[in-house]
């Protein structure tokens, strides 16, 4: 099934069920007011939501409406946990090569993960508001899972039991703020503003054969100003599956229902696939030519992140955003 959150003026919005083809939606607040409420009582709510989903696809009720994703919040507008891994180690290796450094060998065996801000996720059509273009803004196309309660010490072979939903993420990065923060030794903060989530989150069974081994085997498309940046396959070159990432996140603590675990930027070794972020393209330019030529995002730039199934249908709906200046420049009266 496919679940989304409609903006209604509250912090957490209202839970809706969205049809398989993304053309219809129906409120589900009689089952659970919000997605977090559904996750908190998943065993009770999920069967009822599944029935509503089946009915919507077969015989829509009078409550069904055509969804406008500009009026959708993130599936989870705020979450108890947001931990992003770097499962595509090829991308990490490129970063080291671009800096003329050797990547530690343990990066191939021990996942990298950072804890991001989860108190405010952007909706799929919300603007990316920045004070300055000099911050080096970038899109990062990722896949993420939403978990149920995960006990501390959960092993990878049991982690799949706790995956409730999958979705896409634009893990926005401000690359020119990264180095000063990393130099302090505490990691990302200012350089990782609010991430954006896809219009809907879907259950693993909805993905069919594309979901296996804790990986989503479909290409992720990334566009900037209407031009295809890349189409890397999320199931290829994913060194650490979501099972490994969940186990890593739960090594020393339990995860609460509604925790979001990200894959990190999708990246393929096959350069013909392109990239799902600008910085990887810049890395390849630096390795080949000594310096990058591709600019980071500017005010007015538009981006799109989407994943299509084998039949060419959008799975999660598209993340479509524009970079804007914050605060908006006030109109200056003519003298």
């Amino acid at each position: 099934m496919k679940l989304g959150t409609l903006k209604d003026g509250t912090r957490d919005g209202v839970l809706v069920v969205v049809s398989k083809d993304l053309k219809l939606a129906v409120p589900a607040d009689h089952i659970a007011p919000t997605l977090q409420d559904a996750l908190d009582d998943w065993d009770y709510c999920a069967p009822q939501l599944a029935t509503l989903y089946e009915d919507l696809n077969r015989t829509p009720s009078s409550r069904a409406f055509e969804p406008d994703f500009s009026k959708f919040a993130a599936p989870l507008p705020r979450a108890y946990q947001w931990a992003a891994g770097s499962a595509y180690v090829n991308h990490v290796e490129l970063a080291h090569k671009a800096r003329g450094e050797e990547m530690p060998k343990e990066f191939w065996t021990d996942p990298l993960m950072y804890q991001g801000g989860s108190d405010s996720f952007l909706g799929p059509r919300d603007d990316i508001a920045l004070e300055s273009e000099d911050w080096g803004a970038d899109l990062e196309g990722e896949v993420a899972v939403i978990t149920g309660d995960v006990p501390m010490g959960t092993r990878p072979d049991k982690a799949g039991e706790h995956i409730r939903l999958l979705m896409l993420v634009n893990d926005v990065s401000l690359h020119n703020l990264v180095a000063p923060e990393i130099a302090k030794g505490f990691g990302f903060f200012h350089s990782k503003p609010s991430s954006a989530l896809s219009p809907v989150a879907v259950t693993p069974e909805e993905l069919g054969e594309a979901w296996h081994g804790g990986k989503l085997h479909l290409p992720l498309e990334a566009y900037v100003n209407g031009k295809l940046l890349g189409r890397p396959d999320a199931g290829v070159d994913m060194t650490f599956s979501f099972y490994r990432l969940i186990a890593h996140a739960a090594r020393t603590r339990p995860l609460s229902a509604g925790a979001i675990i990200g894959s990190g930027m999708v990246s393929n070794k096959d350069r013909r696939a392109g990239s799902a972020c600008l910085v990887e393209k810049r890395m390849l330019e630096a390795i080949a030519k000594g310096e990058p030529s591709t600019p980071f995002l500017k005010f007015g730039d538009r981006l799109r992140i989407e994943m299509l199934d084998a039949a060419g249908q959008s799975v999660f709906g598209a993340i479509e955003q524009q970079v804007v200046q914050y605060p908006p420049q006030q109109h200056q009266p003519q003298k």
Side-chain angles (χ1 to χ4, degrees), residues 222-246:
Y223 296 83
V224 175
N225 294 324
K227 183 178 180 180
L228 181 66
L229 180 62
R231 196 172 180 265
D233 193 298
V236 176
D237 303 318
M238 188 181 190
T239 306
F240 304 107
S241 71
F242 278 109
Y243 302 158
R244 284 289 309 278
L245 294 178
I246 291 170

Side-chain angles (χ1 to χ4, degrees), residues 55-67:
D55 292 343
L56 178 63
N57 286 303
R58 185 174 57 247
T59 54
S61 73
S62 60
R63 298 186 71 200
F65 61 93
E66 294 183 10

Side-chain angles (χ1 to χ4, degrees), residues 69-229:
F69 291 142
S70 67
K71 297 180 180 178
F72 273 47
L76 281 175
R78 52 179 176 169
Y80 290 114
Q81 178 71 266
W82 161 231
S86 192
Y88 301 87
V89 182
N90 163 69
H91 177 74
V92 182
E93 187 175 45
L94 281 177
H96 282 78
K97 285 183 178 179
R99 296 194 297 266
E101 302 171 354
E102 193 74 25
M103 187 182 77
K105 293 181 179 179
E106 59 267 25
F107 284 12
W108 289 104
T109 57
D110 189 28
L112 293 172
M113 184 170 284
Y114 83 91
Q115 189 174 39
S118 60
D119 55 330
S120 63
F121 286 105
L122 298 175
R125 301 291 191 270
D126 291 349
D127 291 336
I128 300 171
L130 308 173
E131 286 187 8
S132 173
E133 292 179 340
D134 295 337
W135 287 350
D138 195 3
L139 71 161
E140 287 192 19
E142 303 185 9
V143 180
V145 298
I146 302 175
T147 74
D149 290 313
V150 182
M152 186 174 76
T154 293
R155 307 302 301 171
D157 62 339
K158 296 295 184 181
E161 300 173 7
H162 306 292
I163 294 175
R164 300 290 180 255
L165 299 160
L166 290 93
M167 57 188 175
L168 300 183
V169 181
N170 178 19
D171 187 12
V172 182
S173 292
L174 306 176
H175 288 290
N176 291 340
L177 303 185
V178 170
E181 289 197 316
I182 295 297
K184 294 179 179 179
F186 258 40
F188 304 126
F189 194 82
H190 291 147
S191 53
K192 283 292 187 178
S194 297
S195 297
L197 307 182
S198 55
V200 302
V202 310
T203 50
E205 59 268 19
E206 184 73 23
L207 300 166
E209 295 181 357
W211 172 253
H212 59 88
K215 302 177 183 181
L216 181 51
H217 297 263
L218 288 172
L220 182 148
E221 299 181 352
Y223 296 83
V224 175
N225 294 324
K227 183 178 180 180
L228 181 66
L229 180 62

